[in-house]
Each structure stands twice: as structure tokens, then as C-alpha cells.
Amino acid sequence: MMKARAAVLTQFGKPMEHREFQLVDPCPGEIVVKMDMAGVCGSDPHIWRGHHPMSWGALPLILGHENVGRVYATRRTGKGAPKEGDRIMWQRSITCGGCHYCLVARKPWLCQERTVYGINYSSSVSPHLRGGYSEFVYLNPKTPVIALPDSADPQRFVAAGCSADTALHAVQVAGLGLSEDVVVLGCGSVGLCTIAYVSATGARSIVAIDLNEGRLDMALTFGATATLNASHTTPEERQEHVYARTEGLGASVVFECSGSTGAAAEGFKLARKGARYVMPGFGHDGGTDFTVSGWYDITSKEIELRGCFAGDFRHLVEAIDFIDRSDWPFECLVTHRYTLDMANEALACVEQRRAIKAAIVY
């Protein structure tokens, strides 16, 4: 029988260990995937350090929840079941299907029994391979999958596994109309995908704010109409710029995509009265230094504040379709590529913000 190599997190904050696992025959309904590419999400370094509450108790763990691969073996049958050799992506989470959030609220991403590949799906039990930092991944029978065109470039689509579908969810939560004035705080993978979606809605202005000039250049490529470098401007200068572009009103929609408490607080200052403020950026506990005025920043302005956590299969399907049909250069989100042997270096690259998105290539 074949063996598969994987990078395994055994202690938070310690280098992942490279291990071999015996491949076993899939159970009924399971799919075995030979990996093409695993994206290193911005939340992966937080998981690695033990800062992500969902991962507590999940060790040993194989990270990687943004994944593209080909069906190696399958025991899934029925309409739409993938065949051996098909290139696929899959919903990163498995939900119970029977709780209040799955059935009544119809927000399965809030399911209290939610299990997520690469985040809290432990590798302690056979078949072990439940995350993308591995040559093969076993998909639970309940995992929804979607086929990609055989010619699809994994680098173009890999962000749809988390960043792009979370961004799509955030834009839908915002309920964008025509001619909105939008501010996007943070131009990592989620922020850039948000900018592309917002641009497609016909926004009047999209101001992108980040600390990194390279990311801001990418924001212009993805549809931003103006950029502000937060390392070269003051909060007052940024507020003056946004208000000057919006007839003194401020942004009608603000997206916090950086995961920074300082940026999150600033977003309230940039929003006009009645604005919608959507926050998909916090993939971990960002800390407690988040200070806003309940009166000046929220109540008196009637700000509509919305959290945005992950997404479901619908968002994944729509994100893949958007990427497939659009001219935006989603392949450029992957700025650094690594082998599985360099998985620890890939994590460090993302944690140090040297990459928009790093990827492990097989």
C-alpha cells in the first residue's frame, strides 16, 4: 500500500513534523484526493500558535483548509458524484444538518458541531489525513464537492476555499446597491477578493487602505479607485481623504478585512451616518484594545454593524463561478509557492506578511 507524507502540528507554536501515513481504502461515501495545491490562509499562523479557539483540543492536526486536488479513489455514488481523475474543490466544513443554525436560522457556518478540515478535524484517528498540508486528503461522506474544469489552474482557484468565499459572504451581508462609496481596510487575500466583488457591483468609489505598498498596487489591479498607505498617513489624513471623496459624508459601506483592532476602530470614523460596517477580517482573537465610542461611533450614526464568519457551500460555488468568469487576476493572489517540505517556512512567510497568499504545491 502507498504512503502519504504530511506536515503535522503536534504542539502549538512548535515546528510541524513531517510524518508518513499508510493510505487505506476509503469507506462508503468517502473520497480520497491527491492534492494539487493547499493555500496557506491568513488564519493558519494563528492556528499554529494556538490562538484560534476552534483548534484547541484538535492536536495532532494537519493544517490546510484551502485545497484543490484530483480524485484518487472514491466510494461516493449517485448524481453528481465525482469520478477518479476529476479536479475538485470541497466545502471546508462539515455541519450537523439538524441544529437550530443549520435548519431554522439557515446559517450552517454557525453550527455548534461544525468540523473544519485543517482547523479542528484532528488527525489522531484513521485515516488521519484531514488537512491540505498532506499529499492526500480523505473527504468525509458528508463533504460537498464541486468539480473544476480539467484545465483549471489551481493557483487561480485555491483562494475560493476560504478567502474568496468569505469575502463573497461579506459583500452579500452588506447588501450593496449601485454607486456605493466603499472603504476596504486590509488588502490581503480577503480584502482583495472583496474589492473585486465590490467593483463588480458598480461601486462609485473603493478606497483601499493597507500598510504595504505592494498590496495597495494589487488593490488597484482588483478594482480599487484609490489607495491610502496607513504607514505614510495619519488617521486624520485618511479620514479627510475619504470624506473629500464622498461630499463630506464618509463611506456608505466599510469592510474590515485586516484583523487589526486599530483598523477596526478607525473604520467607524470613516463611515457615514447610516453606513453598513461588515467585519470578515478577524480569523482569531485580535485582542481587547478595540475602543470605540458607543454614542459618537455607533448610536448617533445608526451604524449597521455585521460580523461575517466563514461561509457555506453556496458561497464556495458562487466564488468559483465568479473567478471562472471574471477577468480579475486571482492567480496573482498566490505570491509565494512552497513544497510540502517547506510547510513551516510557508507559515512563517504568511505570519510575517511577506505574502498575500502562500501555497504548498504538490
Side-chain angles (χ1 to χ4, degrees):
M1 292 289 289
M2 287 182 57
K3 291 185 177 181
R5 297 173 59 252
V8 185
L9 178 63
T10 59
Q11 297 183 64
F12 291 124
K14 302 294 184 181
M16 293 178 291
E17 301 175 7
H18 288 85
R19 296 183 176 180
E20 284 191 339
F21 296 88
Q22 192 81 47
L23 291 184
V24 298
D25 292 333
C27 295
E30 276 191 331
I31 300 171
V32 186
V33 180
K34 190 176 188 301
M35 288 292 296
D36 286 332
M37 180 175 286
V40 181
C41 182
S43 62
D44 282 0
H46 303 300
I47 296 168
W48 171 71
R49 288 200 175 275
H51 296 165
H52 198 303
M54 287 184 65
S55 299
W56 299 343
L59 300 184
L61 177 67
I62 299 172
L63 275 65
H65 57 273
E66 292 184 324
N67 304 310
V68 182
R70 289 188 183 273
V71 176
Y72 176 77
T74 180
R75 290 190 64 189
R76 185 172 297 189
T77 59
K79 185 177 180 180
K83 307 180 298 299
E84 290 185 12
D86 285 354
R87 174 166 280 154
I88 63 170
M89 294 187 70
W90 53 95
Q91 175 62 17
R92 63 187 179 277
S93 60
I94 304 162
T95 55
C96 75
C99 70
H100 170 83
Y101 297 103
C102 289
L103 286 179
V104 181
R106 295 191 178 183
K107 294 184 176 183
W109 52 90
L110 300 180
C111 173
Q112 293 172 306
E113 302 298 323
R114 184 172 178 260
T115 302
V116 188
Y117 292 95
I119 295 181
N120 67 345
Y121 207 150
S122 175
S123 64
S124 60
V125 179
S126 180
H128 306 293
L129 305 174
R130 301 296 195 180
Y133 294 14
S134 173
E135 293 176 320
F136 291 83
V137 174
Y138 281 74
L139 299 185
N140 182 290
K142 294 177 65 176
T143 304
V145 302
I146 180 171
L148 296 178
D150 190 64
S151 60
D153 178 4
Q155 182 165 313
R156 180 169 175 82
F157 287 90
V158 69
C162 181
S163 302
D165 76 342
T166 299
L168 179 64
H169 184 195
V171 170
Q172 292 176 348
V173 163
L176 290 175
L178 297 176
S179 301
E180 301 271 17
D181 292 308
V182 177
V183 166
V184 176
L185 298 159
C187 297
S189 186
V190 173
L192 292 171
C193 291
T194 299
I195 289 168
Y197 297 139
V198 170
S199 180
T201 69
R204 183 171 66 165
S205 67
I206 307 171
V207 178
I209 302 176
D210 199 280
L211 296 164
N212 182 289
E213 200 63 38
R215 294 185 178 209
L216 292 172
D217 289 341
M218 189 75 75
L220 292 172
T221 301
F222 273 80
T225 57
T227 61
L228 293 169
N229 191 319
S231 63
H232 300 156
T233 57
T234 66
E236 293 75 20
E237 289 171 336
R238 295 191 289 274
Q239 182 174 346
E240 181 180 354
H241 179 95
V242 170
Y243 274 68
R245 296 182 68 89
T246 57
E247 291 82 41
L249 296 174
S252 60
V253 184
V254 176
F255 293 95
E256 202 303 297
C257 300
S258 72
S260 162
T261 54
E266 181 178 337
F268 288 95
K269 308 297 183 186
L270 304 177
R272 69 178 61 168
K273 292 182 178 181
R276 289 95 76 205
Y277 193 165
V278 184
M279 303 179 73
F282 285 94
H284 69 295
D285 181 3
T288 58
D289 57 335
F290 179 38
T291 304
V292 298
S293 165
W295 166 251
Y296 289 106
D297 294 330
I298 301 175
T299 302
S300 69
K301 295 173 76 171
E302 289 197 0
I303 296 295
E304 297 180 24
L305 179 60
R306 299 290 300 272
C308 179
F309 175 60
D312 65 6
F313 190 56
R314 166 173 55 94
H315 299 113
L316 173 63
V317 171
E318 292 177 358
I320 289 173
D321 181 64
F322 183 90
I323 292 170
D324 187 43
R325 293 185 296 105
S326 75
D327 294 326
W328 306 118
F330 283 91
E331 64 278 1
C332 294
L333 295 177
V334 177
T335 55
H336 294 67
R337 295 161 61 101
Y338 295 87
T339 64
L340 180 60
D341 289 332
M342 302 174 70
N344 288 299
E345 290 88 337
L347 270 180
C349 176
V350 172
E351 184 175 50
Q352 295 163 10
R353 299 178 63 86
R354 289 185 281 118
I356 293 176
K357 179 171 292 298
I360 297 173
V361 182
Y362 297 90

